[in-house]
């Protein structure tokens, strides 16, 4: 309770809003100092009532009584307010604003705002609940039958019809209220116009009297009437403010008394809220775990989908493989030619070495073989055997050449058949791509027609 009382004192204590400059002109008049102090605390009041009454009595002593009573009603209300505003501005020029917290809303202001828009808030909440139920039914249409979905839609449409009827009734009631207010405003306007005509007539009569009166006396009366009217307005405002403060303080006292009784209920309510919070937090944790599991499954499926190449990728892969096959086949052909050339040259080298060795042996043994007739015959037989072996080797090479030629012709025929198959394959692939393109065009047209 002490803390609350201390808090109330701090909240409702007077707060200084303005401060006079250090080098500002000092006020010698006591009334001006009082007025300046009230302005520093946000009170727009003029001089004190007693001093104003004293001044008016002093002026009345100078003026004749009949003239004072007649001139008191001659000054216009706008001129009185302008004179008072000029005086307030003159005092405010020597003041500076204090550094206070801005942008703060009291609890009463927030309560008024919420109270003004409570019907709109209720309507928005009801619309949110209906939209949520409709979305939940739309998200799981497999679990509901057609009849049940129809019933739900009919129920939602009936709710919307009821809401629109309520809204129409509210608009009609507001329209009638506005018509009543409009008629009352027209009546007030007529009364004001009548009162304005009367004031114009009185003003004309007062101007006629003013033209015959003394200017100094009239000016003093105007200032006195202005001050009197300002003091009356300020007094009424101050009384209204005091009543409001008293009502607010009484309301705060009643609310503080009721708080003591509501503390137990608040404790029970907080315990229930804590239990619900724990339950909802456990549910949220489970949902997060389930969501993480689903995300992992989605990521795995996404990777599997990405691993499957698309049609464009397959076409690109095919082109690259064909290019690679061409390069490999060209390299293989070139290497095969090199191997064949090497083998041919190697065989040629072997035969040339044999021929050289044979000629060298003939040259070396020729002189000895020609020395006697027996060695000559033996030499001739050896030469015949050598010639026979050369003929046999030649026949073998001719036979091998013929076999290679036949194998070459067979491979050439196979190569031509494979070329024909390749041409047929490329033709089939081209026709397949054209049919796929036509299929995609037909599918897009079908989707566009169905949508």
């Amino acid at each position: 309770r002490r803390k609350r009382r201390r808090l109330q004192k701090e909240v409702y204590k007077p707060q200084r809003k303005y401060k006079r400059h250090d080098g500002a002109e000092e006020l010698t008049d006591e009334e001006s100092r009082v007025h300046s102090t009230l302005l520093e605390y946000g009170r727009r009041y003029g001089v004190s009532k007693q001093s104003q009454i004293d001044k008016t009595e002093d002026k009345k002593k100078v003026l004749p009584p009949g003239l004072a009573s007649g001139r008191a009603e001659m000054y216009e209300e706008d001129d009185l307010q302008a004179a008072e505003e000029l005086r307030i501005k003159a005092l405010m020029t020597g003041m500076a604003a204090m550094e206070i917290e801005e942008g703060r809303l009291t609890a009463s202001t927030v309560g008024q705002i919420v109270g003004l828009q409570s019907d709109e808030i209720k309507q928005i909440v009801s619309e949110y609940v209906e939209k949520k139920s409709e979305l939940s039914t739309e998200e799981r249409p497999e679990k509901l039958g057609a009849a049940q979905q129809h019933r739900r839609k009919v129920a939602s449409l009936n709710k919307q019809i009821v809401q629109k009827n309520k809204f129409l009734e509210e608009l009609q009631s507001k329209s009638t209220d506005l018509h009543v207010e409009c008629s009352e405003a027209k009546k007030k306007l007529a009364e004001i116009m009548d009162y304005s005509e009367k004031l114009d007539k009185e003003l004309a009569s007062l101007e006629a009297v003013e033209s015959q009166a003394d200017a100094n006396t009239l000016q003093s009366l105007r200032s006195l009437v202005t001050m009197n009217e300002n003091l009356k307005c300020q007094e009424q405002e101050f009384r209204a403010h005091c009543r409001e403060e008293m009502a607010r303080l009484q309301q705060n006292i009643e609310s503080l008394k009721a708080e003591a009784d509501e503390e137990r209920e608040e404790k029970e309510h907080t315990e229930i809220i804590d239990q619900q919070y724990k339950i909802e937090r456990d549910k949220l944790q489970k949902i997060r775990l389930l969501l993480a599991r689903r995300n992992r499954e989605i990521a795995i499926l996404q990777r599997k989908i990405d691993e499957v190449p698309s049609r464009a990728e397959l076409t690109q892969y095919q082109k690259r493989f064909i290019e690679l096959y061409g390069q490999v086949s060209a390299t293989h052909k070139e290497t095969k030619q090199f191997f064949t050339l090497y083998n041919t040259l190697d065989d040629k080298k072997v035969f040339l070495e044999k021929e050289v060795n044979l000629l060298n042996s003939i040259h070396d043994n020729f002189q000895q073989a020609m020395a006697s007739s027996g060695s000559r015959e033996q030499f001739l037989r050896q030469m015949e055997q050598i010639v026979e072996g050369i003929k046999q080797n030649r026949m073998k090479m001719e036979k091998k050449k013929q076999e290679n030629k036949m194998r070459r012709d067979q491979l050439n025929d196979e190569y031509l058949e494979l070329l024909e198959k390749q041409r047929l394959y490329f033709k089939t692939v081209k026709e397949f791509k054209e049919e796929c393109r036509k299929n995609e065009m037909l599918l897009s047209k079908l989707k566009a027609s169905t949508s």
Side-chain angles (χ1 to χ4, degrees):
R1 292 181 180 178
R2 290 180 181 177
K3 289 182 179 179
R4 289 175 181 172
R5 289 176 183 175
R6 192 180 304 123
L7 182 61
Q8 288 177 359
K9 289 179 180 180
E10 290 179 357
V11 171
Y12 299 112
K13 70 180 180 180
Q15 293 182 358
R16 193 172 187 177
K17 297 182 178 180
Y18 302 98
K19 184 179 180 181
R20 287 184 62 81
H21 295 296
D22 294 335
E25 184 181 357
E26 294 184 358
L27 301 174
T28 57
D29 190 5
E30 183 178 358
E31 295 176 357
S32 298
R33 288 199 298 272
V34 172
H35 200 173
S36 177
T37 304
L38 291 173
L39 285 173
E40 288 179 4
Y41 286 90
R43 304 292 185 184
R44 299 174 64 86
Y45 298 128
V47 297
S48 63
K49 186 176 180 180
Q50 186 62 35
S51 61
Q52 183 67 23
I53 293 170
D54 294 339
K55 285 188 177 182
T56 54
E57 287 180 355
D58 293 339
K59 296 290 183 179
K60 285 180 181 179
K61 289 179 181 178
V62 178
L63 297 174
L67 183 60
S69 61
R71 298 291 178 86
E73 298 178 356
M74 292 174 64
Y75 209 83
E76 295 180 355
E77 185 177 356
D78 296 336
D79 295 335
L80 299 176
Q81 291 180 357
E84 183 64 21
E85 289 294 331
L86 288 173
R87 185 174 181 181
I88 291 171
K89 288 180 180 179
L91 291 173
M92 290 292 291
T93 53
M95 297 183 186
M98 296 287 288
E99 294 182 357
I100 58 174
E101 294 181 358
E102 297 181 358
R104 297 177 61 184
L105 292 174
T106 60
S108 60
T109 307
V110 176
Q112 291 176 0
I113 293 170
V114 175
L116 289 173
Q117 298 181 354
S118 60
D119 296 331
E120 296 179 1
I121 291 169
K122 290 179 181 178
Q123 186 177 359
I124 290 168
V125 170
S126 62
E127 290 178 358
Y128 171 74
V129 172
E130 290 176 359
K131 293 292 183 183
K132 189 175 181 181
S133 63
E134 291 176 2
L135 289 173
S136 63
T137 55
E138 289 177 359
E139 287 177 356
R140 44 193 178 85
E142 296 88 3
K143 298 180 181 179
L144 299 175
Q148 192 171 1
Q149 291 181 5
H150 180 69
R151 286 197 296 272
R152 287 181 179 273
K153 289 181 180 179
V154 170
S156 64
L157 291 173
N158 289 328
K159 288 182 181 178
Q160 291 179 4
I161 291 168
V162 172
Q163 289 179 356
K164 296 297 181 182
N165 290 328
K166 289 182 180 178
F167 184 68
L168 179 62
E169 291 176 358
E170 291 177 357
L171 289 177
Q172 289 177 354
S173 63
K174 289 181 181 179
S175 177
T176 54
D177 295 336
L178 289 173
H179 283 302
V180 173
E181 291 178 358
C182 182
S183 61
E184 292 178 356
K186 287 180 180 178
K187 290 180 182 178
K188 289 182 181 179
L189 179 62
E191 293 176 358
I192 290 168
M193 293 295 291
D194 296 336
Y195 185 68
S196 177
E197 291 177 358
K198 291 180 183 179
L199 288 177
D200 291 336
K201 292 178 181 178
E202 292 179 359
L203 182 61
S205 63
L206 289 174
E207 287 178 354
V209 174
E210 182 181 356
S211 62
Q212 299 175 0
D214 188 7
N216 295 326
T217 307
L218 186 61
Q219 187 66 29
S220 62
L221 284 174
R222 284 178 177 175
S223 62
L224 291 173
V225 170
T226 303
M227 191 177 294
N228 187 19
E229 292 295 330
N230 287 330
L231 288 173
K232 285 181 180 179
C233 293
Q234 291 172 5
E235 183 181 0
Q236 291 176 359
E237 291 177 358
F238 182 70
R239 286 181 179 178
H241 182 70
C242 290
R243 292 193 193 96
E244 291 177 357
E245 288 291 328
M246 184 177 67
R248 189 167 59 81
L249 290 173
Q250 288 178 355
Q251 188 177 1
N252 289 333
I253 290 167
E254 292 177 357
S255 63
L256 290 172
K257 288 180 180 178
E259 282 180 1
D261 298 331
E262 293 177 356
E263 284 181 356
R264 296 178 182 177
E265 296 178 358
E266 288 180 357
K267 288 181 180 179
E268 295 177 356
H269 187 61
T270 51
E271 289 177 357
I272 294 169
I273 290 172
D274 290 335
Q275 292 177 358
Q276 290 179 354
Y277 171 72
K278 290 178 180 178
I279 294 168
E280 296 297 331
R281 186 177 60 187
D282 295 336
K283 288 182 181 179
L284 179 62
Q285 189 65 26
K286 293 179 181 178
I287 290 169
R288 283 178 177 174
L289 293 173
L290 182 61
L291 180 62
R293 190 183 304 165
R294 291 293 175 84
N295 288 331
R296 286 195 296 272
E297 293 176 356
I298 290 168
I300 292 167
L301 292 174
Q302 189 68 32
R303 283 197 296 272
K304 289 182 179 179
I305 291 169
D306 293 336
E307 288 175 358
V308 177
S310 62
R311 187 173 297 165
E313 290 176 349
L314 290 173
T315 305
Q316 190 174 6
Y317 291 157
Q318 184 183 7
K319 290 180 180 179
R320 294 295 176 268
F321 280 124
I322 291 169
E323 292 175 359
L324 182 61
Y325 174 75
Q327 293 176 1
V328 170
S329 63
T331 307
H332 180 263
K333 185 177 180 181
E334 186 178 1
T335 307
K336 190 175 180 181
Q337 289 176 357
F338 286 143
F339 273 97
T340 305
L341 179 61
Y342 175 79
N343 293 328
T344 304
L345 293 175
D346 188 54
D347 293 339
K348 189 175 181 180
K349 177 185 174 184
V350 170
F351 287 123
L352 288 173
E353 287 177 352
K354 288 180 179 180
E355 184 178 357
V356 169
N357 291 328
L358 181 61
L359 291 174
N360 287 329
S361 64
I362 292 170
H363 182 269
D364 292 337
N365 296 323
F366 182 76
Q367 296 294 333
Q368 294 177 2
M370 291 295 124
S372 61
S373 60
S375 59
R376 184 186 300 171
E377 291 177 359
Q378 187 179 0
F379 180 74
L380 289 173
R381 284 194 300 273
Q382 289 178 357
M383 290 297 293
E384 289 176 358
Q385 291 176 1
I386 290 169
V387 170
E388 189 67 25
I390 290 169
K391 287 181 180 180
Q392 289 178 2
N393 288 329
R394 182 181 177 185
M395 292 296 293
K396 288 179 182 181
M397 295 303 295
E398 289 290 339
K399 187 177 180 181
K400 187 176 181 181
K401 178 183 176 182
Q402 193 68 25
E403 290 177 356
N404 288 330
K405 189 175 180 181
M406 292 174 64
R407 188 166 178 272
R408 185 196 66 182
D409 295 337
Q410 185 179 359
L411 291 174
N412 192 14
D413 294 337
E414 292 179 358
Y415 175 70
L416 292 175
E417 290 178 359
L418 290 173
L419 283 177
E420 186 66 25
K421 288 181 180 180
Q422 186 180 11
R423 284 194 294 271
L424 181 61
Y425 170 75
F426 284 132
K427 183 180 178 181
T428 307
V429 169
K430 186 176 180 181
E431 291 176 355
F432 179 72
K433 288 181 179 179
E434 185 67 22
E435 294 298 327
C436 289
R437 188 180 63 81
K438 291 180 181 179
N439 187 21
E440 290 178 354
M441 291 176 63
L442 292 173
L443 286 174
S444 62
K445 288 181 181 179
L446 182 61
K447 290 180 180 179
S449 63
T450 53
S451 61

